[in-house]
Amino acid sequence: MAAGEPPHVAVVGAGWGGWAAAQTLVENGCRVTLLDSLPDPTGETPYLTPTGKPFEAGTRGFWKDYPNIEALTRSLGLREEDVFTPFTNSSFYSPDGLEATAPVFSSTNLPFSDAPLPELPSPLGQVLATFQLFERIPVPDRVTVLGLLYATIDFTRDEEAFRAYDRMTAHELFLRMGISERFVRDFLKPTLLIGLFKPPEELSAAVAMELLYFYALAHQTSFDVRWIRYPSISELLIAPLARSLLAKTLPPAGEAAGEAGGGPGGEDSGAGEADGAGGAPALTVLGGSRVQSVQLDAAGKVSGLSYASRGGSEALTGLNGCVLALGSKGMSGVVGGSPELARAAPELCKAASLGGIDVIACRLWLDTTVETRTPANVFSRFEALRGAGGTFFMLDQLQGPAYGGGDEALRALWGGDEPQGSVVACDFYNSGASAHGSDLLPAAVPGFSRANVVDSFVARYPGAVSWFSPGSFDKRPPLQTRVPNLVCAGDWVRMGEFEHGAKGLCQERAYVSGIEAANALARSGALGVRNNRVRQVSPVRDDEPQVVAGRAINKQIYDSLLKPLGLDKLLVR
């Protein structure tokens, strides 16, 4: 890097982690090249089916504790009510019909009363809020879930506890905690199939506990979830972020990028606006570009990479840093084509060996409007799923007038044509060959039997999401690799001392990991002395006092009594 020139960093992958890293690096005065195999990673080009109707790969929720994505929304000048739906209920369906409904905990009533439920200590509030909403699971089976409370107290998330829980399956943990087979089969299993995309017997107990705690047990309102309005996450959030970054220019040579400690939403940017103050654009986005290999220099640092594009094989040289914001499938491709990198960073070879989970996303346009209890729904115990997890979302409800979307959004869901009926998005996980959504819907909600499919679209994504199998913790990529100027981002990344409270396969965690990946480059010195700005990350809500106290007491008993007497072998760890 010549004196006065900004550092040049490549960000590989344009998901939440990649865009967060690019944003943070641009704010730090860096020149950034973002590469992704998508033709247009900026979100400006809508994805349309062959018949001209909108499509999005998977329907993803935004939970209560997403403080950094909420801060991003505000920093882009967007109103949350224009981007997200209100918080919604969710329903679980089996071949027997409706099994349970998850309420909006922040606006539910006391059982058998019209009085609002105050926010109570966890899990008391969750128990009271859901008491009337389990349709079929008997009370004695529901009571057994209290066994998870001990696991919540014991699972302190320190390294010793995490590795002990990581060695066993979630199913084994549920058995040890005395949770009934009925409750596991009818509620916990479908929850994990849509949250971590594998059944309990194939999941790390540690990651399952992280997910259940973050989404359900930490606070009464943890499970409250809302969804994206029309048209899509890419168009409502990624596109305005991309526009704001593409409008920025590099600071003049020799000018510092700004002081450390900017806000979580991207305020106080070190790059200038596109007014001629700096000149060269701070961000270049290369769509349709699949990275094939990463090159190291004689000092063992990343110096360049090669990628395949429409024009053939091309290269980036003179790099000062690199962020790999990839899943296991993408990581396997890069490491497989980079023998020098594989030798220098064997931890990436481990990450590349982790299996991915297949995803099938389909969208159905019906000739009849079907009424459902809730717009967001889960399939449970259907034999046709063959072990897969499944969800279905009533987009005509979520993105139409029912949730404030307006008639124009409903018409847009039909590609500008006159709406005929419901539009349903069905997503299936852990399935290479799952039943079509139209086969399952009538079994869950009889009203679908009166509807005909007038149009449909199906997309398959083999190995698209991370699989947190038992013992996978040590194989997940670290934030900082052994190569000094190479870092990783994504919801599967181990963030070490910068670990965040958002857990599992979650958009908030992916976004935070990208910020921390860029921060790691700044801390390492790879960006030079002028570009050492570290961006602050907003934490999730603190653990509640009863959880903190319970963990402290449990740890004291474990360390001072059980472990010295050798009784610790009887426990999870």
Side-chain angles (χ1 to χ4, degrees):
M1 180 168 55
E5 285 189 5
H8 184 193
V9 181
V11 177
V12 184
W16 276 113
W19 276 109
Q23 178 191 22
T24 307
L25 290 163
V26 166
E27 290 170 359
N28 206 358
C30 297
R31 174 188 166 204
V32 178
T33 301
L34 177 64
L35 305 97
D36 196 275
S37 58
L38 285 175
D40 180 12
T42 68
E44 292 287 356
T45 305
Y47 189 96
L48 301 176
T49 70
T51 58
K53 296 182 178 67
F55 180 82
E56 186 169 23
T59 306
R60 290 165 285 174
F62 295 81
W63 268 260
K64 188 75 170 180
D65 286 296
Y66 273 31
N68 293 281
I69 288 182
E70 290 172 357
L72 168 67
T73 303
R74 293 190 297 271
S75 76
L76 294 171
L78 304 172
R79 298 191 311 164
E80 288 188 24
E81 56 267 33
D82 294 334
V83 175
F84 308 114
T85 70
F87 290 101
T88 70
N89 293 15
S90 305
S91 295
F92 288 70
Y93 288 94
S94 76
D96 299 322
L98 181 65
E99 291 283 350
T101 300
V104 177
F105 289 88
S106 55
S107 60
T108 194
N109 293 333
L110 287 164
F112 312 109
S113 170
D114 292 330
L117 178 68
E119 185 151 356
L120 300 170
S122 177
L124 179 59
Q126 294 93 310
V127 171
L128 287 176
T130 59
F131 185 79
Q132 296 172 275
L133 298 176
F134 282 92
E135 306 285 337
R136 301 178 189 278
I137 302 177
V139 172
D141 290 285
R142 284 184 261 162
V143 170
T144 65
V145 78
L146 293 175
L148 277 182
L149 295 184
Y150 173 72
T152 299
I153 296 300
D154 185 58
F155 183 60
T156 57
R157 288 176 284 178
D158 61 34
E159 190 164 316
E160 179 188 4
F162 195 100
R163 290 181 188 279
Y165 277 77
D166 187 56
R167 286 192 292 269
M168 75 171 73
T169 69
H171 188 260
E172 182 183 354
L173 175 65
F174 297 156
L175 292 177
R176 287 196 186 191
M177 295 299 107
I179 302 172
S180 79
E181 181 182 346
R182 173 78 180 268
F183 195 85
V184 172
R185 182 195 67 190
D186 291 359
F187 190 76
L188 289 178
K189 182 174 181 177
T191 298
L192 291 176
L193 276 167
I194 63 167
L196 292 171
F197 309 146
K198 282 283 186 179
E201 55 269 25
E202 298 181 51
L203 286 171
S204 156
V207 180
M209 280 303 303
E210 281 190 328
L211 176 111
L212 292 172
Y213 183 73
F214 174 60
Y215 284 118
L217 297 174
H219 306 282
Q220 179 178 310
T221 57
S222 291
F223 197 72
D224 285 357
V225 60
R226 51 189 174 172
W227 311 90
I228 202 73
R229 288 196 182 278
Y230 182 84
S232 66
I233 294 172
S234 293
E235 291 165 86
L236 287 182
L237 285 173
I238 299 300
L241 172 60
R243 286 194 295 268
S244 71
L245 297 179
L246 289 166
K248 295 184 184 298
T249 55
L250 293 168
E255 183 176 303
E259 298 302 321
E267 302 90 339
D268 304 323
S269 170
E273 300 301 328
D275 57 4
L283 174 67
T284 300
V285 178
L286 300 178
S289 301
R290 186 179 299 277
V291 173
Q292 298 172 310
S293 65
V294 174
Q295 290 85 47
L296 306 183
D297 61 16
K301 297 181 180 180
V302 172
S303 60
L305 57 79
S306 61
Y307 61 95
S309 69
R310 301 178 190 88
S313 184
E314 302 187 48
L316 282 181
T317 58
L319 294 178
N320 303 106
C322 181
V323 180
L324 294 180
L326 299 167
S328 61
K329 185 177 180 181
M331 186 73 77
S332 177
V334 170
V335 174
S338 312
E340 287 182 330
L341 177 63
R343 287 192 294 270
E347 65 272 25
L348 297 184
C349 296
K350 291 182 180 180
S353 71
L354 283 175
I357 299 171
D358 297 338
V359 178
I360 297 175
C362 68
R363 190 164 288 194
L364 307 173
W365 288 265
L366 309 179
D367 65 354
T368 301
T369 298
V370 179
E371 298 296 332
T372 58
R373 177 181 285 195
T374 59
N377 306 279
V378 177
F379 290 116
S380 170
R381 292 197 293 114
F382 286 90
E383 288 188 11
L385 287 172
R386 284 168 279 181
T391 56
F392 66 97
F393 298 88
M394 308 303 294
L395 297 184
D396 53 307
Q397 295 180 34
L398 279 176
Q399 299 183 344
Y403 282 85
D407 291 332
E408 66 279 4
L410 187 59
R411 181 181 289 274
L413 282 171
W414 284 83
D417 295 337
E418 187 67 27
Q420 297 183 45
S422 290
V423 180
V424 189
C426 299
D427 302 321
F428 301 101
Y429 308 98
N430 187 37
S431 177
S434 178
H436 196 281
S438 60
D439 301 324
L440 292 165
L441 290 170
V445 179
F448 281 107
S449 62
R450 301 190 300 271
N452 297 304
V453 176
V454 297
D455 198 2
S456 66
F457 183 76
V458 179
R460 290 175 169 80
Y461 305 94
V465 295
S466 303
W467 176 13
F468 296 118
S469 57
S472 61
F473 179 71
D474 287 329
K475 294 182 179 179
R476 289 160 58 185
L479 187 71
Q480 176 66 65
T481 73
R482 298 186 193 184
V483 176
N485 63 342
L486 178 64
V487 295
C488 297
D491 52 18
W492 67 323
V493 167
R494 292 180 286 141
M495 289 190 274
E497 64 180 295
F498 304 106
E499 187 57 64
H500 192 258
K503 300 297 182 182
L505 294 168
C506 113
Q507 296 174 97
E508 173 78 3
R509 180 175 177 82
Y511 182 69
V512 168
S513 75
I515 297 172
E516 292 294 6
N519 286 345
L521 285 177
R523 291 188 182 99
S524 72
L527 307 180
V529 295
R530 290 183 174 273
N531 304 88
N532 58 1
R533 182 177 186 269
V534 173
R535 179 175 163 192
Q536 299 301 307
V537 169
S538 295
V540 300
R541 289 176 286 177
D542 292 336
D543 292 330
E544 293 186 3
Q546 71 277 9
V547 175
V548 175
R551 285 176 174 164
I553 293 170
N554 181 71
K555 181 173 174 56
Q556 186 174 6
I557 294 173
Y558 179 84
D559 290 341
S560 61
L561 181 62
L562 299 180
K563 199 169 184 179
L565 294 177
L567 299 177
D568 57 310
K569 305 296 188 297
L570 302 177
L571 303 177
V572 172
R573 50 180 175 148

